[in-house]
Amino acid sequence: MVASSLQIVVIGAGLIGPRHAQHVHQNPQTQLFGFVDPTPAGANAAEKFNTRSFKSIKEMIESCNETSTPYPDGAIVCTPNSLHISIAAELASHGIHLLVEKPLSSNAEESKALKEYTKMKNVKLLVGHHRRFNPFIIETKKNLKKVGNIVAVQGVWATRKADEYYKVSPWRTDINTGGGALLINMVHDIDLLQYLFGPVARVYAEPLPKERLEYPNADEGAALTLRFKNGVCGTFICSDSVTSPFNFEAGTGENPTIPFHEGLEGFYRVFGSEGTLSAPDLNLYHQKGIKNPEDKSWLSPVVKEPLISNRQQTLHSALPFDFQLDHFVDVINKKQEPFCTADDGMSALLCIDALIRSLKSGLPELVEDVNNILPNYDSLGLDEGNPALLKLN
């Protein structure tokens, strides 16, 4: 490992933390500083990677001070959603740059406070919507222009989660602690949809029948309609309690624990005036070679044109976590600004908030504008976390 490698600490050793640690361990630009986790999982993960283990950020900082060890350059926060803000703020108070797993927090007011605090501390904040770095999504965005004027989008994220998923992390069983398919899973797709088509203005959600009656406080998804600010309309099915391969993980193969479905077509379909684009298969359906607009009707055949020749090659071109980590390194080194900002994270969260409100009201709900959100400084959990001491307007 070269001397210039950045030191990265992973906060949380649950489901996603060790995956991040593996990428940090393998990346020639980074070195795994250690794990912070109060449970035995932290020590076990640290032993596996032959690195340090700390039960708290305070313990890590004290250890660094006692041994004259520089603080980590960056931290990847992989804790339960409800803890993201206070943990990220504590790290930022020591000048440690942040990659915070999605969602940035459980509510936008907390996210706004963290955004302002990191800005004051000159700490970079990257939100971990890593699917923006997926090669299938990169290719989808690159080819959107081929459908002409985008009119509508149709999407689905549907699968059945294992019982163990809830047993190992009970916080996932309650929406008040960040649980539920909308906040855990749909937030990913909302971010991608806004990345592809711009901000969502209005949403409507119909609840799906529940299968897990033992967890009454966690939604299992919904049937959604979306109106984007640019006029594009969309429909979406989100469910974590059905048997289905139609989900991002199975279609792209990015998660090694979920089997890759190589032949899967159309977890997203983008409908335009000149054609329809299907993802992740990257098939373009259009009326090739027709010049006369009058001939572009249902009376002329629609042909399928594959836009990628080898799906396996695209799959293995690079893993999104690798792309994201390389980008985090560039952000820390001030070579790039964060590709997914705090505002992006808040925007996705505000869409989920509107969806949850719609489930309760039974009505369409407007999505709040990020600029109208007032920060909740108390959520930072710091003595200096109030507006007066922050000297913020």
Side-chain angles (χ1 to χ4, degrees), residues 286-287 290 292-303:
H286 63 150
Q287 294 169 315
I290 296 179
N292 186 351
E294 294 181 0
D295 294 331
K296 292 184 177 182
S297 73
W298 61 358
L299 301 178
S300 299
V302 174
V303 299

Side-chain angles (χ1 to χ4, degrees), residues 108 346-355 357 367-370 373:
M346 279 188 282
S347 182
L349 188 60
L350 288 168
C351 284
I352 299 300
D353 288 345
L355 288 169
R357 292 201 311 272
V367 178
E368 190 71 57
D369 191 298
V370 167
I373 300 302

Side-chain angles (χ1 to χ4, degrees), residues 113 116 120 374-378 380 382-393:
E116 300 294 345
M120 189 198 77
L374 298 177
N376 174 12
Y377 295 109
D378 290 338
L380 299 178
L382 302 170
D383 291 337
E384 59 181 324
N386 65 70
L389 290 177
L390 284 171
K391 297 181 181 178
L392 297 172
N393 296 323

Side-chain angles (χ1 to χ4, degrees), residues 245-385:
F246 290 96
N247 58 74
F248 187 94
E249 293 87 343
T252 63
E254 76 162 41
N255 189 329
T257 66
I258 297 175
F260 176 47
H261 196 293
E262 186 172 1
L264 190 72
E265 297 186 7
F267 61 60
Y268 293 163
R269 291 188 177 97
V270 184
F271 303 93
S273 59
E274 301 296 325
T276 295
L277 179 61
S278 178
D281 44 295
L282 275 296
N283 284 316
L284 177 66
Y285 297 86
H286 63 150
Q287 294 169 315
K288 192 173 183 179
I290 296 179
K291 302 298 184 182
N292 186 351
E294 294 181 0
D295 294 331
K296 292 184 177 182
S297 73
W298 61 358
L299 301 178
S300 299
V302 174
V303 299
K304 180 172 77 171
E305 179 186 348
L307 299 180
I308 55 174
S309 58
N310 189 323
R311 195 164 168 187
Q312 282 284 355
Q313 183 177 344
T314 302
L315 168 65
H316 296 295
S317 60
L319 292 172
F321 278 92
D322 289 326
F323 277 138
Q324 181 178 246
L325 181 58
D326 286 339
H327 176 62
F328 187 39
V329 169
D330 285 342
V331 167
I332 293 174
N333 287 330
K334 300 181 179 179
K335 294 181 179 180
Q336 293 184 16
E337 288 301 309
F339 183 43
C340 189
T341 65
D343 280 354
D344 293 328
M346 279 188 282
S347 182
L349 188 60
L350 288 168
C351 284
I352 299 300
D353 288 345
L355 288 169
I356 293 172
R357 292 201 311 272
S358 181
L359 285 175
K360 293 177 180 179
S361 70
L363 298 170
E365 296 284 346
L366 296 177
V367 178
E368 190 71 57
D369 191 298
V370 167
N371 295 319
N372 296 335
I373 300 302
L374 298 177
N376 174 12
Y377 295 109
D378 290 338
S379 66
L380 299 178
L382 302 170
D383 291 337
E384 59 181 324

Side-chain angles (χ1 to χ4, degrees), residues 16-42:
I16 201 69
R19 278 189 67 192
H20 278 290
Q22 185 65 42
H23 292 281
V24 172
H25 181 69
Q26 293 173 343
N27 193 305
Q29 301 182 89
T30 58
Q31 188 169 9
L32 184 61
F33 185 86
F35 283 89
V36 175
D37 193 310
T39 73

Side-chain angles (χ1 to χ4, degrees), residues 71-319:
Y71 299 158
D73 300 288
I76 304 177
V77 179
C78 312
T79 61
N81 298 343
S82 61
L83 301 177
H84 283 182
I85 295 300
S86 59
I87 286 174
E90 186 176 0
L91 291 160
S93 71
H94 299 287
I96 299 171
H97 299 290
L98 301 166
L99 195 172
V100 181
E101 262 293 344
K102 63 79 203 171
L104 182 53
S105 72
S106 296
N107 66 70
E109 291 78 11
E110 295 178 352
S111 297
K112 191 67 169 281
L114 182 64
K115 173 191 172 181
E116 300 294 345
Y117 184 66
T118 55
K119 182 179 179 181
M120 189 198 77
K121 287 292 186 179
N122 201 26
V123 165
K124 296 295 184 179
L125 172 59
L126 173 65
V127 183
H129 281 290
H130 67 273
R131 292 181 184 178
R132 292 186 178 209
F133 297 90
N134 188 285
F136 291 103
I137 295 301
I138 293 170
E139 289 298 315
T140 297
K141 189 171 179 66
K142 185 192 304 181
N143 286 284
L144 281 178
K145 59 184 179 293
K146 294 181 179 179
V147 307
N149 296 324
I150 299 172
V151 175
V153 60
Q154 181 185 63
V156 61
W157 186 89
T159 190
R160 183 186 295 275
K161 291 176 180 172
D163 292 341
E164 189 66 15
Y165 177 86
Y166 299 97
K167 292 178 182 177
V168 299
S169 298
W171 66 267
R172 295 173 177 147
T173 67
D174 194 323
I175 194 171
N176 295 313
T177 52
L182 293 179
L183 195 53
I184 293 176
N185 305 108
M186 188 64 206
V187 70
H188 263 311
D189 288 288
I190 287 291
D191 178 70
L192 287 184
L193 293 172
Q194 294 197 121
Y195 172 60
L196 293 172
F197 310 114
V200 173
R202 188 175 68 238
V203 301
Y204 174 63
E206 281 280 4
L208 300 178
K210 282 188 69 67
E211 291 288 311
R212 301 185 193 92
L213 300 181
E214 67 272 32
Y215 303 136
N217 294 328
D219 69 83
E220 296 175 19
L224 317 173
T225 59
L226 310 168
R227 166 71 76 172
F228 294 81
K229 287 186 177 181
N230 60 12
V232 173
C233 288
T235 63
F236 206 99
I237 298 292
C238 173
S239 174
D240 67 3
S241 61
V242 299
T243 301
S244 166
F246 290 96
N247 58 74
F248 187 94
E249 293 87 343
T252 63
E254 76 162 41
N255 189 329
T257 66
I258 297 175
F260 176 47
H261 196 293
E262 186 172 1
L264 190 72
E265 297 186 7
F267 61 60
Y268 293 163
R269 291 188 177 97
V270 184
F271 303 93
S273 59
E274 301 296 325
T276 295
L277 179 61
S278 178
D281 44 295
L282 275 296
N283 284 316
L284 177 66
Y285 297 86
H286 63 150
Q287 294 169 315
K288 192 173 183 179
I290 296 179
K291 302 298 184 182
N292 186 351
E294 294 181 0
D295 294 331
K296 292 184 177 182
S297 73
W298 61 358
L299 301 178
S300 299
V302 174
V303 299
K304 180 172 77 171
E305 179 186 348
L307 299 180
I308 55 174
S309 58
N310 189 323
R311 195 164 168 187
Q312 282 284 355
Q313 183 177 344
T314 302
L315 168 65
H316 296 295
S317 60
L319 292 172

